[in-house]
Every structure is written in structure tokens, then in C-alpha cells.
Amino acid sequence: MSGQYVRDLQEVDETQLAAVGGKGAHLGGLSRIDGIRVPAGFCVTTDAFRRIMAQAPSIDDRLDQLSRLDPDDREAIRTLSAEIRRTIEEITLPDDLAAAITRALARLGERAACAVRSSATAEDLPTASFAGQQDTYLNVVGPAAVLRHVSRCWASLFTERAVTYRRRNGIDHRTVHMAVVVQQMVFPDAAGILFTADPVTGNRKVATVDAGFGLGEALVSGLVNPDVFTVRDGEVVAKAIAAKQRAVQALPAGGTQEVAIESPRQEQPALTDAQVVRLVRLGRRIEAHFGRPQDIEWCLVDDAFQIVQSRPITTLFPVPETDDQENHVYVSVGHQQMMTDPMKPLGLSMWQLTAMVPMHEAGGRLFVDVTRRLASPASRAGLLDVLGRGDPLVRDALETVLDRGDFVPSLPDAGPGGPPPGGAPAPIETDPAVVTELIERSRASIAALERDIRTKTGPALFDFLLEAFEEHKRVLGDPLSLQAIMAGMEATWWLNDKLQEWLGEKNAADTLTLSAPDNITSEMGLALLDVADVIRPQPEVVAFLHGIEGIEDKAFLDELGKVAGGAEARDAIEAYLDRYGMRCVGEIDITRPRWRERPTTLVPVILDNIRNIEPGAAGRRFEQGRQKARKKEQDVLSRLRALPDGDRKADETKRMIDRVRTFIGYREYPKYGIVSRYFVYKQALLAEAERLVRAGVLREQDDIFSLTFQELHDAVRAHQVDDQLVRQREDAFRSYHALTPPRVLTSEGEAVTGAYRRDDVPAGALSGLPVSAGTIEGRARVILDMARADLEAGDILVTTFTDPSWSPLFVGVAGLVTEVGGLMTHGAVIAREYGLPAVVGVERATRLIRDGQRIRVHGTDGYVEILS
């Protein structure tokens, strides 16, 4: 029976995770790699743990209680988990189990000093490292002590931090089991940690080694600063030697103690350069075995390295896969599209199939490879200019990579990605009829799509969609549409540059574009104010909306219609959804629930509007914006006329103001067209999924979101789906939420952040990009989920990104701060239209600004001050 409870490390590998836990499986795998030495030892399997747990029925009730607790109720979690630990530690080990452990121990040597280490089934996984969640005991001597510490390891599955970690990561306590690794204790001259990729920059070509004297515990516990070595291409390229005053050493009778290091030795490196390079070579071997960068604990004994642990570095952003060995530079699509959350596979592949340029996936996000355009000097200048106007941090990050000189190859100018043949597109007239025609073209194309898709099912639907994607791209790439967008943007830049030069005015275009016509996104925010006006006089409807917890979205509008005055409210919401129901947060991901599918999302915003805003506000606000813009125009023109050569300057400026007001609103329309099409595609694909569910091919409709478009096409043709693939994709998607996508990423895995090179920001203020002029002070509301908005008049919205679906919130706030964004991204355009002071591109704003703090937003100068 002992094989069931105890296994030698040499017998296990990664396939036995369920029996020996993450650490045991990794150590077993490590011990099989050629040239890697792992201290001898054995695993006490999860079968032993399950047997012990079954001996205490009271634990089951407590686990039930635990799963019902609020993850923030620290006190209750602390009490309950302590009771579970005590119960486990007090259970007497059955004789056969104790005997099996003692026999395995005798093979190591009865009085051998051991390390006894927890190995849970949900740790050291690619998606959750659980680092430091369970316990390790060093220098445990003798069978009785080893058995006692095995029980302690089992109990450590229920430390307060492990319990809380599982709750936060949505892991059920019952699905995690604990194995224990018992290994011969190593008494090292030096020990430490090797990262096979730079844990700070993410660079996969750079390894870093932390080293100290004695046991590695001194470094892990923060007792001493380690020596740090940086290795690239087989040589030490940087090192920092610390004064190591203390070390942790093992005591002969068991346990460990801190010792002082004599002074001449304190300044000596714990490893020689040659040893560091040799260690990194071993690390590369381990990395190749596990197929991803590793965080490795090592010991040095008599000039030989022993490896005591290896786990994946889970914080690194993945690198897009390529089939060549060349250098690549990637720019994040999410930062341009105001959607930096991960996307599901169907969402990624649909965006790739309908985008105008090739896109590469990594970490659930999309990236564009700009290497070729950076390589040729002519296209480089244009690319940096366009990206820099949108987001200076992207430009700075790209320049950082270019400054290294050798990363991006230089190509002659005639390469692809240069200016299109025939020079710049011919400018278009400043004529509102152009915009009217473009909107009409888009509407007609979508109407044709809705009409033609109705009859398509099965494989024929997919053939139809592939053609529809070509039409989609044709509409997006319509030269007239691109000219209209560029005309509005170029006129904005011209006005800002010239009026600063001539009048010393910053961002003058912000006021000149207030309430510009034909802006579908700003109309959407104002239209929801009109919905609030319909509902406000109906007390029963307002009460109903306050109490919709638990009402299914499908039933919501029907239930609303039954309330007194509810029919009119329902019609108003229905009409709103007919025009805007295809929108939602993160709308570039087709898999996200649309407002039409989840209308209750809008309820908190409608209630905020009813509470905070006067009736008739929509029309008044639009008119006020127009008057303000007109007044600004008159003011600017009269000041210009007073200058030398003033009539020419005023005439040029008037032409540009007319141009920007004609075209800037259209800037928002193409995205509306894309999202409208997406909703049509989505409904057709969900109907297909429903058929697959009925045929028993899929478990549930939403499973199609974990397949790419091509895989879904194959599934419909072959009538089968790899269920395991779907579950793996769901796990991976969950893990991507923990990753922060970089603005710029290299093929070496380096995440390049970029910085604002500015000296005009007060100390302590947060730098960003000024996108909508004015200064406002107020209470910060840090809101990460629009459905949880709870705003008062005068609040300042602080969030990660705002795509168009957030604009209904803009009508109720006084200012805007986001982590992501540029001068021409949606949030910036709408903030200007509504006259909201706004600063975007503020790194880590939602973490540095706390909900409820008073802040001051400097929308003209581009920084945020925290006042309280």
C-alpha cells in the first residue's frame, strides 16, 4: 500500500500533479533533466491527505461555512481557518501511513536532516503561482519531528492567506489537495534565486541571479540584500555586490539560526562570475524542459549547484509567436481601441479577420508588428508622428527601442510601409453633405447585411460571413471615410498648433469643438438623459428600477411594462436600445454581452441621471456647448484680426474651425458601424451555437466564445468540439486578467512603458496627456465596472479606459481621468464635446488615486493633483 501514500522523487514527474502537487511534480520533473542535481527525497501523496481529512467529519461543515464567507470578512476567515488547521494537526496518523513515511525516511538516513515542504495541487501552475501560500520547514531531524511537520504542511493549506487567495481567484477549497515533499537537507555555502527572464522588464534574453551566503531563507525572508548579477548571451553584463551582514544556517540538532558574517567576507561576492554563468546555463536547460521562463531556487555545495525548486514566472506578459528568429517590435491594439482587458478567442479572431492590418495575439490581447515601418527612415517618421500625437508614451517607448541602435534593422526607404504611391490623398471639401453620404453608405451596407444573413445557417453561414468581412473591410477602408476622419483630426492639430503660436492659447480646439454635429457617441449620452426624463415623473417605475436585483435580463423589459407608467418607460428604453443596444463595455470583443442582451446594465446610469440631473438637460447642454463654441470662435477671430497679417490668419482659422466642426463628429461613426455589424454577426453565431447545444455537440452556448472563428467553422462542419480545449481556453482567459498589457512589446519579451519627458508638473502630481481643457476639483470616483456606477453631481470619474459605451456616464460627471488613452481616442473626443476637463494616459491612476479622495484635474496642462 505504501506506493499509494509515498513516492520517491525519482518516480514522479509533471503528469502526476494530482498525486504529488505542484512542487512535487516540478521537483520530480527537474530530477529527470540531464545534468540537473536535485536533493534526494520522496513525496507524501494527496491520497494520504484525503485519508486524514476523511477522519474529521467536522472539517466538512467548516469548509461549507468558509465558502459562504465574504472574502473581505478577515476576522471570520481567520477564526474558521485556525479551527480547521488545529483539527488537522491533532489527528493521529494511521499506523500504515506513519510506517510508510518512516520507511522512506530510513532510505535517506534515519537521522538525516530534512526539508519538509508543502506541495498543493493548485500551485506552481502556469496560471497561478500560489507563491508563498503554503509552508516550508527546514532542518527537521528524526522520524517523530518529520511526521509532526507533515501534519503542519497539510494544515497550512488553510492559512488565512491561502484561503483568501483561493477565494479571490475563484478556486474551490475542496478541489485543492495537499501533498508533502520530504527532501534531504542541503547545507549550502551560498544560495539564492535565478530568474531565467528579467522579472522587471520581461526580457527573455536576460537572466538575473540573486545570491547570498548560507541558506536561501535569508534572501526570501528579506533578512539581507542579495548580490544581483545580470547575464546576457552567456556573460555577466552587470552586477551589484551587497554588504551581506547576516546569513541563516542550520543547527546540528534541527532548526535554523541567524549568524553574523565576519566583516572582510561581507563585501565578497557570494558567487564568482564563472559560477553565475554556469548557473544560468543550467537555468536555460530547465527553462527549455518546462517550456517557459522559470523562477529557480538553487544552492551551491562544494562548487556544485543543486536545484531545490523551479516554478514558472507568472507575471511575465507572453510574447507573440513568430516562425522566424528576427527581432520584432509590437504596439498594443488595446491602447488604441480603449480596451486593454483580455479578449476571448472568438473575439480575438473576429477582430483579426475584420481589421485593416495583420494582428498578433499574446496574453489575450492583440498587437501590431511595426518593425518594418520602424526600419525604414521615411515610414518611421510618419509612424512616430501619428502614434505620438495619439499617445506620447507609445512614441517614447518606440524611441527607447530605436535608441538601442541595433534592435531594429535599418532598411532602405523603398520598403513596404512607405507612403502610398501617388502622394497624399486629395483633400476633400468642407461640406456637411460628405458626412451625410458616408453615414448613409454605412447604414445601407448594414441593412443589406441584416437582410442577407437571415436565411444563412450551418457551413453556408460561415461562407457568407467570410464575404461579409470583406465588405466590412471595404466600408472601413472607404477612401472618402478615411479622408473625412483625417480632415477632422488634422484641422484639430492645425488649430491647436497655430493658436498656441499666434495667441499663446493651449488646446484651443477643445472649446471650438463643443457640441459638434453628427457625433453618434455624444448623442448616445444625451439620449439617455431623455430616457431619464420619461421615467423621472413615474415613482412606481423609479422604485421598480431600484429593486431589480435578481430579475433576469430577458424578463426585465416585460416586467417593467407591467408597472404603473411602465409601458412608456419600456418604450423609451426599447427605442434607446434599437439605436445603441449593440454597444457595451469592451465592445471590440464580440463575446462581451451587449446592452440589448443585458439592458439592466443601463439602470444605474439612468438612476444617477434621474437623481443628479434636471429635466430637459439634454437639449440645454447641447445648445450651451454650441453657444460656448460660437463665442470662442468670435473671440479667437477678433484677437487674430488685431495681429500683424491678422486678416489672413483669421480667414485661415475660420476655414479650419468650419472644417473641424464639419468632420470631427464623424470620427466616432466608423466604430459605431463596426459594432453594429458585430452584433449582427454575433446573433447569427449564437443561433448556430444553440443548434450545437441541442445536438449535444456543445455544453452551453457561450462555449463558442472559447473557439476561434475557424475552429467554430470546423465544429459546425464536423459536428464535434474538443471540450477539453474549451476548458483550457477558459482557464487561460482567467489567468490573462492578472497581466497588464504593455503599450510596446519586443520579441525578446521586454515590456517598454515609455515616459512623459516633462518638467512642468508639480512634485507629487500624476502626469498624463491633456485632452480636454479646463481645471476641475472634486471627489474621485474610481469605477472599474459601469454597472456599479454610483455618481453624484460634481464627481470626477477615474477608470482604466473608456470606450464609447462609457459616454452615458460622462453627462453626470465633472471631469475624467483614465490610465489609457490619447488625443483622438473616444473618451477624449467625447470629453471635449461635453466640455469635461480630462487627463488620460495616467499610469496606474486607479491604484494611485483612492475612491473618495479629493483631486484636481488640470485638463489644459495634463496632470492630476491628489488633494486629500
Side-chain angles (χ1 to χ4, degrees):
M1 276 299 279
S2 73
Q4 182 187 349
Y5 295 130
V6 174
R7 285 186 201 166
D8 196 86
L9 266 184
Q10 300 286 334
E11 303 169 346
V12 301
D13 62 18
E14 297 85 344
T15 60
Q16 294 171 47
L17 185 93
V20 297
K23 196 172 293 167
H26 265 81
L27 283 168
L30 278 167
S31 64
R32 291 161 177 244
I33 305 172
D34 197 28
I36 302 295
R37 296 173 58 176
V38 174
F42 59 88
C43 297
V44 181
T45 66
T46 52
D47 277 344
F49 170 76
R50 273 195 282 276
R51 183 163 166 199
I52 291 296
M53 291 291 275
Q55 279 185 253
S58 66
I59 291 180
D60 253 6
D61 306 337
R62 291 193 175 129
L63 287 180
D64 283 340
Q65 286 173 269
L66 207 51
S67 59
R68 287 197 295 270
L69 288 179
D70 176 349
D72 295 324
D73 188 349
R74 301 277 296 275
E75 198 46 51
I77 290 176
R78 188 175 299 132
T79 311
L80 207 51
S81 48
E83 285 174 19
I84 296 174
R85 285 199 304 281
R86 205 165 40 245
T87 308
I88 294 172
E89 286 185 33
E90 285 166 2
I91 295 171
T92 311
L93 265 61
D95 292 347
D96 58 331
L97 177 52
I101 295 172
T102 312
R103 270 200 305 280
L105 203 53
R107 287 199 294 279
L108 293 180
E110 193 70 11
R111 300 298 299 166
C114 293
V116 182
R117 318 171 73 191
S118 318
S119 177
T121 53
E123 67 176 354
D124 295 351
L125 308 180
T127 54
S129 75
F130 283 79
Q133 293 301 322
Q134 275 93 34
D135 295 351
T136 288
Y137 302 98
L138 298 178
N139 202 27
V140 180
V141 180
V146 168
L147 292 174
R148 196 167 57 248
H149 284 88
V150 167
S151 289
R152 281 196 187 164
C153 284
W154 289 331
S156 75
L157 192 58
F158 297 98
T159 59
E160 185 189 345
R161 60 170 188 252
V163 167
T164 309
Y165 185 92
R166 289 196 292 274
R167 279 303 299 270
R168 295 217 186 293
N169 286 280
I171 296 164
D172 177 359
H173 302 301
R174 288 168 198 284
T175 59
V176 185
H177 301 294
M178 182 66 86
V180 181
V181 176
V182 180
Q183 269 178 299
Q184 213 159 18
M185 185 70 193
V186 179
F187 300 107
D189 309 311
I193 296 159
L194 155 64
F195 293 100
T196 64
D198 186 321
V200 181
T201 66
N203 195 319
R204 310 304 203 260
K205 293 276 176 78
V206 172
T208 63
V209 174
D210 291 5
F213 294 123
L215 290 168
E217 292 309 292
L219 306 191
V220 180
S221 63
L223 179 67
V224 296
N225 288 330
D227 298 337
V228 181
F229 301 86
T230 306
V231 177
R232 188 180 173 118
D233 299 328
E235 61 176 315
V236 176
V237 291
K239 59 181 162 185
I241 306 305
K244 298 167 290 295
Q245 291 164 354
R246 309 188 74 68
V248 173
Q249 284 182 342
L251 292 165
T256 59
Q257 70 171 13
E258 280 179 36
V259 293
I261 296 174
E262 56 281 14
S263 62
R265 195 164 162 239
Q266 289 180 4
E267 306 285 342
Q268 276 183 355
L271 293 179
T272 66
D273 284 10
Q275 285 172 329
V276 170
V277 170
R278 204 169 80 220
L279 173 61
V280 170
R281 211 171 295 136
L282 294 175
R284 293 278 173 235
R285 215 177 263 187
I286 294 170
E287 177 181 66
H289 174 82
F290 289 120
R292 51 175 43 217
Q294 298 287 305
D295 155 358
I296 297 166
E297 288 178 31
W298 56 268
C299 295
L300 180 71
V301 187
D302 304 330
D303 196 36
F305 286 104
Q306 299 222 22
I307 304 300
V308 292
Q309 185 158 352
S310 181
R311 58 164 86 92
I313 310 176
T314 54
T315 53
L316 297 177
F317 200 86
V319 184
E321 282 178 24
T322 54
D323 43 16
D324 61 35
Q325 295 300 303
E326 307 292 310
N327 288 348
H328 294 270
V329 181
Y330 302 98
V331 171
S332 156
V333 172
H335 285 80
Q336 318 292 314
Q337 289 294 341
M338 295 296 89
M339 158 64 180
T340 51
D341 289 349
M343 292 164 72
K344 291 193 171 165
L346 186 63
L348 291 163
S349 65
M350 293 288 278
W351 194 259
Q352 285 170 307
L353 286 165
T354 51
M356 305 302 283
V357 290
M359 291 183 178
H360 306 266
E361 183 273 332
R365 278 74 166 192
L366 291 169
F367 294 86
V368 172
D369 186 342
V370 294
T371 322
R372 292 299 294 261
R373 283 159 75 190
L374 286 176
S376 109
S379 59
R380 178 189 309 155
L383 178 74
L384 289 174
D385 185 51
V386 168
L387 290 176
R389 279 189 184 275
D391 182 344
L393 292 176
V394 172
R395 178 181 184 132
D396 188 74
L398 290 173
E399 284 173 340
T400 304
V401 176
L402 287 168
D403 286 347
R404 298 191 182 144
D406 56 353
F407 190 79
V408 176
S410 272
L411 289 177
D413 267 0
I428 52 174
E429 292 300 307
T430 302
D431 178 2
V434 171
V435 172
T436 313
E437 185 195 336
L438 283 168
I439 289 174
E440 204 30 66
R441 280 186 199 179
S442 173
R443 280 193 190 141
S445 171
I446 291 168
L449 171 68
E450 288 175 332
R451 186 187 64 232
D452 298 343
I453 205 168
R454 280 193 193 123
T455 54
K456 309 287 189 289
T457 61
L461 169 67
F462 288 84
D463 299 336
F464 171 81
L465 281 172
L466 288 169
E467 283 172 37
F469 296 163
E470 292 312 306
E471 165 68 2
H472 181 124
K473 287 197 264 196
R474 194 192 62 70
V475 173
L476 260 188
D478 181 337
L480 187 65
S481 175
L482 297 174
Q483 286 172 312
I485 292 170
M486 283 316 294
M489 285 164 56
E490 281 163 355
T492 306
W493 296 333
W494 188 95
L495 285 168
N496 280 337
D497 293 347
K498 292 295 185 195
L499 295 181
Q500 177 138 23
E501 183 190 327
W502 293 336
L503 299 175
E505 279 233 10
K506 272 190 191 170
N507 300 355
D510 292 2
T511 313
L512 294 166
T513 51
L514 286 170
S515 300
D518 295 314
N519 186 321
I520 187 81
T521 311
S522 66
E523 286 165 13
M524 175 170 85
L526 296 173
L528 203 60
L529 289 177
D530 293 335
V531 173
D533 285 352
V534 172
I535 295 171
R536 194 181 283 104
Q538 309 287 349
E540 288 92 339
V541 177
V542 175
F544 171 80
L545 293 180
H546 273 293
I548 59 161
E549 281 285 316
I551 289 187
E552 284 288 306
D553 273 285
K554 288 188 180 64
F556 165 65
L557 288 167
D558 292 339
E559 294 295 318
L560 173 60
K562 296 175 190 165
V563 179
E568 205 184 342
R570 183 194 59 208
D571 294 348
I573 293 176
E574 280 281 8
Y576 186 84
L577 291 172
D578 285 344
R579 181 114 207 253
Y580 305 110
M582 75 295 286
R583 307 218 90 147
C584 66
V585 172
E587 61 190 10
I588 70 168
D589 180 354
I590 198 170
T591 72
R592 291 282 191 103
R594 312 282 134 181
W595 289 344
R596 175 47 91 189
E597 298 169 300
R598 203 172 278 177
T600 52
T601 309
L602 294 170
V603 169
V605 192
I606 294 172
L607 289 172
D608 281 347
N609 288 348
I610 289 171
R611 191 175 69 237
N612 298 331
I613 296 173
E614 296 292 305
R620 266 203 315 281
R621 286 185 176 209
F622 190 75
E623 194 42 46
Q624 280 162 354
R626 250 177 36 150
Q627 298 297 348
K628 230 176 181 174
R630 187 176 291 143
K631 212 170 127 229
K632 181 72 173 177
E633 177 181 327
Q634 290 162 347
D635 166 56
V636 163
L637 296 178
S638 69
R639 283 161 63 201
L640 285 171
R641 288 209 168 86
L643 297 175
D645 196 16
D647 284 348
R648 179 187 64 82
K649 288 174 179 164
D651 290 347
E652 275 187 33
T653 302
K654 171 68 177 142
R655 269 210 311 281
M656 283 301 175
I657 291 173
D658 291 346
R659 196 163 176 79
V660 84
R661 288 195 70 81
T662 301
F663 292 117
I664 201 66
Y666 177 71
R667 161 79 184 79
E668 290 289 304
Y669 204 87
K671 181 90 170 256
Y672 175 76
I674 292 173
V675 177
S676 300
R677 284 177 187 282
Y678 262 28
F679 194 38
V680 180
Y681 305 152
K682 181 178 189 177
Q683 288 168 303
L685 291 173
L686 282 174
E688 213 47 55
E690 190 50 47
R691 283 189 274 279
L692 291 175
V693 171
R694 281 204 301 272
V697 176
L698 278 184
R699 284 201 216 177
E700 49 192 282
Q701 233 183 349
D702 289 4
D703 283 354
I704 64 164
F705 299 156
S706 295
L707 301 172
T708 65
F709 181 81
Q710 186 55 53
E711 288 165 350
L712 180 52
H713 190 174
D714 296 342
V716 166
R717 264 209 314 266
H719 242 65
Q720 64 185 58
V721 168
D722 179 350
D723 191 56
Q724 193 148 15
L725 176 71
V726 170
R727 304 297 148 221
Q728 276 169 348
R729 294 266 177 85
E730 285 172 353
D731 288 344
F733 176 70
R734 269 196 294 277
S735 75
Y736 295 150
H737 281 279
L739 300 172
T740 304
R743 282 178 166 80
V744 170
L745 181 67
T746 73
S747 47
E748 292 185 346
E750 185 178 356
V752 194
T753 349
Y756 294 107
R757 313 281 170 190
R758 295 172 57 180
D759 44 22
D760 60 342
V761 172
L766 310 178
S767 290
L769 186 62
V771 295
S772 184
T775 302
I776 189 76
E777 200 177 295
R779 176 178 73 151
R781 294 310 316 269
V782 180
I783 295 176
L784 301 176
D785 176 359
M786 187 174 142
R788 296 211 159 73
D790 177 18
L791 296 161
E792 298 290 339
D795 282 347
I796 296 168
L797 174 62
V798 180
T799 187
T800 38
F801 59 79
T802 59
D803 59 8
S805 72
W806 284 76
S807 51
L809 287 186
F810 286 18
V811 297
V813 296
L816 173 70
V817 179
T818 66
E819 294 182 347
V820 175
L823 200 60
M824 285 297 165
T825 46
H826 307 275
V829 173
I830 307 305
R832 289 195 288 276
E833 287 253 329
Y834 286 169
L836 288 182
V839 179
V840 301
V842 180
E843 285 284 288
R844 299 181 43 237
T846 58
R847 279 170 273 179
L848 296 172
I849 300 170
R850 286 201 305 281
D851 188 52
Q853 276 183 319
R854 277 195 79 69
I855 60 172
R856 190 181 294 132
V857 177
H858 295 262
T860 310
D861 295 316
Y863 62 90
V864 180
E865 288 179 285
I866 298 175
L867 304 176
S868 66

